[in-house]
């Protein structure tokens, strides 16, 4: 089974998390050594990957669920008496 391709939202959230968390950790730790920067970079990448993987995937509809429900299943029926009574009353008032 192949892994699904990442969505644009996953790329955006992951990239922003990596960039902002790297800057925040570098500013808060005030490190300037090579190993310290490397640890922060690895931690930011791991955090960005975690955020990107937790973004919900869009749901895809299957053809069987759409065909079973039909196009009018989502709409509630409106009683015909309510529609015709309002239209008939205004027409009668105008005629009188």
């Amino acid at each position: 089974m192949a892994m699904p391709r990442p969505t644009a939202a996953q790329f955006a959230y992951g990239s922003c998390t990596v960039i902002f968390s790297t800057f925040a950790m570098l500013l808060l730790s005030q490190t300037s050594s090579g190993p310290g920067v490397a640890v922060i970079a690895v931690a930011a990448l791991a955090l960005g990957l975690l955020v990107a993987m937790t973004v919900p995937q869009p749901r895809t509809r299957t053809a069987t669920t759409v065909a079973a429900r039909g196009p009018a299943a989502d709409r509630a029926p409106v009683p015909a008496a309510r529609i015709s009574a309002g239209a008939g009353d205004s027409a009668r008032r105008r005629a009188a």
Side-chain angles (χ1 to χ4, degrees), residues 5-92:
R5 293 184 142 197
T7 63
Q10 286 176 312
F11 275 125
Y13 283 128
S15 299
C16 289
T17 301
V18 169
I19 292 167
F20 290 126
S21 63
T22 302
F23 283 135
M25 286 189 279
L26 284 173
L27 288 174
L28 290 174
S29 69
Q30 297 179 353
T31 186
S32 59
S33 67
V37 171
V39 168
I40 289 174
V42 169
L45 286 173
L47 186 61
L49 182 63
L50 177 71
V51 167
M53 297 309 288
T54 56
V55 172
Q57 291 280 339
R59 294 185 179 207
T60 57
R61 290 215 244 170
T62 60
T64 56
T65 59
V66 173
R69 286 182 22 200
D74 293 339
R75 292 184 229 123
V78 178
R82 187 181 302 169
I83 295 172
S84 62
D89 287 343
S90 61
R92 286 186 201 122

